[in-house]
Amino acid sequence: MDEYLWHTCDILADLLEGRMADRPLVATTARLVQGDRALAVGPGQRSTWRALGNGRYQHSNVVAAGSPAFVIGSLLGSALGNSSRRRQAERDAQPRWVLDGAGELTITLRRLFFAHPVAELDLDWRALGTIDLVAPDVFQTSFVDTRGQHSTIRVHTPWASLIFVVAAVTAFPAHPRLLGRGWLPADFEWRCASIGRPCRPAAQLASDGRRQ
């Protein structure tokens, strides 16, 4: 994770100091619009906050004939089955984080791409409603999708901090985690310097609101 953070600081410093043209191009299969460029590519997993069902279940009505013991057993089995299906339907109706799949992420100056055959993402930073870094490797955001529905997702990736800071400086420049430098461990710069590999002061540049 430290390696990704070091590169995040390097990329962000170049972005804030207007030095992106000096960086080498990053290869990506994502389709880029004119003027955009890839900053990093790597693995990721998408999770969505949603329910697995709507609370409905198939109610079974049993009509039994035969001996009293057989009838009672059949009705009891049907009742137990209906009760089990009802409880499962109630559990499925409760929203939770659901893993949608793994794929390749591309972080660009303008957006986030997540390549997946079913759960792909193409998120413009300025179209996001909220953003946060809920863990060192988890970026969370909410937005209105193409069907007009509100969605909340998490992207699990070692590039989560880069996603957060690029989105923040682009569309959420007053985000408390950006201004308070909460996206970077407090001792990270010291640890880098102590091993002879100092990182650039990206957190300070971002908290100062500097951008060329």
Side-chain angles (χ1 to χ4, degrees):
M1 186 61 68
D2 280 0
E3 186 71 13
Y4 288 92
L5 282 175
W6 191 93
H7 284 290
T8 292
C9 290
D10 193 53
I11 294 168
L12 182 59
D14 277 342
L15 174 61
L16 296 175
E17 294 176 347
R19 301 176 185 273
M20 292 306 300
D22 298 333
R23 298 190 64 84
L25 294 177
V26 175
T28 177
T29 59
R31 187 173 183 177
L32 303 180
V33 299
Q34 186 174 4
D36 199 5
R37 66 179 292 164
L39 303 177
V41 174
Q45 291 183 323
R46 168 185 168 165
S47 297
T48 303
W49 181 255
R50 61 183 175 89
L52 296 176
N54 57 12
R56 297 178 181 177
Y57 69 99
Q58 186 66 42
H59 185 86
S60 175
N61 293 311
V62 173
V63 177
S67 68
F70 175 79
V71 172
I72 292 173
S74 297
L75 294 177
L76 179 59
S78 176
L80 291 174
N82 285 331
S83 178
S84 177
R85 286 189 289 273
R86 182 179 66 253
R87 290 195 300 270
Q88 184 61 51
E90 290 172 350
R91 288 193 293 268
D92 288 346
Q94 299 300 313
R96 82 287 305 271
W97 289 110
V98 178
L99 180 62
D100 298 313
E104 183 178 80
L105 288 170
T106 298
I107 302 103
T108 82
L109 290 171
R110 300 182 182 180
R111 58 207 317 122
L112 168 68
F113 294 96
F114 175 68
H116 190 273
V118 177
E120 69 176 6
L121 285 172
D122 181 356
L123 300 178
D124 188 303
W125 304 132
R126 298 186 184 279
L128 303 180
T130 64
I131 63 168
D132 205 356
L133 188 68
V134 297
D137 61 345
V138 182
F139 171 75
Q140 180 173 311
T141 184
S142 63
F143 55 91
V144 177
D145 64 23
T146 55
R147 297 170 296 177
Q149 297 179 344
H150 185 271
S151 294
T152 300
I153 67 160
R154 284 180 173 177
V155 178
H156 302 250
T157 173
W159 285 115
S161 291
L162 178 63
I163 297 172
F164 171 79
V165 294
V166 175
V169 299
T170 302
F172 300 84
H175 196 291
R177 196 177 296 279
L178 181 70
L179 297 184
R181 304 176 58 168
W183 59 273
L184 193 68
D187 65 342
F188 181 73
E189 293 170 326
W190 177 86
R191 285 191 282 116
C192 289
S194 68
I195 62 173
R197 196 187 183 197
C199 68
R200 296 169 68 186
Q204 186 61 50
L205 293 173
S207 64
D208 289 345
R210 289 180 55 182
R211 183 169 185 180
Q212 298 297 319

